[in-house]
Amino acid sequence: MQTETTTMKEITQEKWAKRPLIISGPCSAETEEQVIATAQRLANTGKIDMLRAGIWKPRTKPGLFEGIGAKGLPWLQQAKKITGLPTTVEVATAKQVEDALTFDVDVLWIGARTTVNPFSVQEVADALRGVDVPVLIKNPINPDLELWSGAVERIARAGIKQIGLIHRGFSSYGNTEYRNAPMWHLAIEMKRRNPDMPIINDPSHICGRRDILLDVAQKAIDLDFDGLMIESHIDPDNAWSDAKQQVTPERLAEMLSTIIWRKEDNNSEEFHAALEKLRQQINHLDDELMQILSQRMKIAEKIGEYKKNNSITILQTNRWNSILERAFAKGDKIGLSKEFITKYFDAVHMESINHQNKIMNS
Ligand code: PEP
Ligand code: MN
């Protein structure tokens, strides 16, 4: 006779292998009613594979809602019973692993603030020894691929066979368009290093706001990500955490039907599909280059201000020569020709002078 848990294990296996794998649910479990209603409405869309909810919430500052704690676990168990959806929860300590497993959470995930800390990742890994549960590992909050890889290694060494990655963007100082900059090239490199590991994109924590979720989700699908984790809430504006980035289950379903799901390469289209993927990667990198250039111009403007206040000329030949020398040496090491570096820096420098000029003559 099959027990209920083996059945759930099989469903989880099936979902884990499904493409795209769609995970959704609230940032935080708040009340039993909220968890169950969100789960039911998500299940009704027929587009969701797994239910997420934060039970323990690592918050940047004290005094914010830090999660309902273990008392929310039976709510998730109940939501699973009603909808048949496997559940996933963030864990950061051995005790949280133990509690989550006691309440039959089907997939565990390690959050960005935990991946940065080898002590915590090791504690979670040790608690997972001998346990057969899939684990998703979010990228660390800082753009450090070695930390992300290190976390994967620690969990793998504990004997976990099913490991997946979640790309949730990287924090940076100052305001950008994103809450956490996607830095797609890092996710692409992680994917290259771990070709057999599913990689899921989390547009919610990258965007920090609703209006650009779809755009980021589409980019991820274009880059051949294996799925999406998107936060949803029955009353997004009044969510106890991450209110600005959550959407209702129905809005999520709408978004999912708007996304253009790229087909697997088939024989006749193989060449075109591969080309398209490469072009998408080029587009994303170009977008990032432009973002970075715009940041560079903002710094140039600050310098312009400083020079203005101190009556210093814009062009300082020594500084310009040293920039070029440095760039030639670096370019040589990474395969960029002197000719290209010269043209590129000339253009950047001219643009920078124009920005400074505007400031100095304002
Ligand atoms: C979350 O998923 O709600 C969360 C806390 O995410 P992250 O670890 O990416 O910040
Ligand atoms: Mn969140």
Side-chain angles (χ1 to χ4, degrees), residues 151-163:
V152 169
E153 243 175 81
R154 286 178 199 277
I155 300 300
R157 283 187 190 192
I160 295 297
K161 296 274 176 286
Q162 289 173 289
I163 299 178

Side-chain angles (χ1 to χ4, degrees), residues 12-60:
T12 305
Q13 296 302 323
E14 191 187 303
K15 296 294 191 188
W16 184 264
K18 181 181 162 281
R19 300 291 175 268
L21 165 62
I22 309 292
I23 305 171
S24 187
C27 177
S28 302
E30 298 163 6
T31 65
E32 182 166 11
E33 297 68 40
Q34 170 246 8
V35 170
I36 305 247
T38 312
Q40 273 176 320
R41 281 167 55 179
L42 284 170
N44 286 344
T45 69
K47 291 179 186 289
I48 306 303
D49 302 304
M50 230 174 252
L51 184 64
R52 65 150 279 157
I55 293 290
W56 302 278
K57 302 301 298 179
R59 305 309 298 276
T60 303

